[in-house]
Amino acid sequence: MIDFSRNKEAGHTSVMQHASLSAFISKAPTVLKPKGPFAIVLLEDAVEVDSTIDHCHSLGFSEVLVFGNRDLLPEDRGAAHLVAQDMHASNAMPEVVNAVIEACPGQWLHYCYNSEYLYFPFCETRNVKELVTFNTEERRDTIMTYVIDLYSKDLGKYSNAVSVEEAYFDKAGYYALQRFTQDGHALERQLDFFGGLRWRYEEHVPWLKRRIDRVSLFRAYKGLTLSGNHTFNDEEYNTYSCPWHHNISATVCSFRTAKALMSNPGSMYAIPHFWWKGSERFEWNSNQLMQLGLMEPGQWF
């Protein structure tokens, strides 16, 4: 079993429960620590909830904010704030993230779903606080992240395609297309990225759900809003780098697509396995991802 509790700080032991999103937001200014960054974990089911929260703690997030149905919220995982919220409701993701943005201007925020794990270059020896401090010094308020699909090689053994101990991912098959405005003009430093299971099984994935780019680590400010397609109302926040040099990028290693394909009646019987010649066992370290070009350190040495 992977030890997701690495570098877990002693301060992450108290649990605060909140009856609703509005109840949490009303208390946020007084109950949240003054300095971030904060992690937002959105629970869609009960799969790998504990490991997701522990991984956020291990990266050094000051607070981990967990949103989900009451029956999914863990009782004793050191999660600082557990908020009862239906994450299957329409526009649940942007509603939660935008509420936290409004309540925490100036803070760096990361959002992910359960069974998703943020990795950035050298995260084994450098924490997320050092990362966002460096990025701020680079005059960047965002870090582009790419969703790398994880899956089990043996669906007979792991019917939901989730196995932390035997996780695989695609080492090839990624590409990007120019992003355009509605009137056909190319957007500067914006691309739509594709790959992974959403590319290989695109017949089972709606077109609007196929992108794997997600700016899931960013600095909040009043008026900033996130949409359901993981883009912001601030176009600069949707760029992959600044104009003058390449910036650091990160990955969100995720079992989410594999779970969806194995639970959807339209795909679960059509896919005997996810294994192909481009599969590689995930070693749960950042060097592997950098060597394959799935994220880059930029000026982060």
Side-chain angles (χ1 to χ4, degrees), residues 41-43 66-73 83-87:
V41 179
L42 310 172
L43 305 185
V66 184
F67 298 83
N69 290 340
R70 291 180 183 276
D71 60 331
L72 297 177
L73 294 173
V83 185
Q85 179 76 1
D86 181 8
M87 292 312 305

Side-chain angles (χ1 to χ4, degrees), residues 7 15 25 28 38 78 90-92 99 127 131 145 150-151 154 159 175 181 190 194 198 203 216 225 285-286 289:
N7 297 330
V15 175
I25 294 300
F38 302 157
S90 178
N91 294 317
N127 63 42
L131 173 68
T145 58
L150 301 178
Y151 49 87
D154 187 349
S159 59
Y175 66 99
T181 63
Q190 292 193 44
F194 303 91
R198 304 179 198 207
E203 67 273 22
S216 63
T225 58
N285 68 65
S286 63
L289 297 165

Side-chain angles (χ1 to χ4, degrees), residues 151-179:
Y151 49 87
S152 165
K153 181 179 179 180
D154 187 349
L155 297 182
K157 185 177 180 181
Y158 304 101
S159 59
N160 66 352
V162 178
S163 172
V164 170
E165 297 86 352
E166 301 177 26
Y168 287 79
F169 71 104
D170 289 3
K171 65 180 179 181
Y174 300 93
Y175 66 99
L177 300 175
Q178 178 65 55
R179 184 177 296 171

Side-chain angles (χ1 to χ4, degrees), residues 73-84:
L73 294 173
E75 295 182 359
D76 185 20
R77 294 303 305 179
H81 296 276
L82 308 178
V83 185

Side-chain angles (χ1 to χ4, degrees), residues 3-23:
D3 181 13
F4 290 106
S5 62
R6 175 186 57 84
N7 297 330
K8 190 172 180 181
E9 297 180 10
H12 295 301
T13 56
S14 61
V15 175
M16 296 188 65
Q17 299 189 12
H18 306 271
S20 66
L21 174 60
S22 59

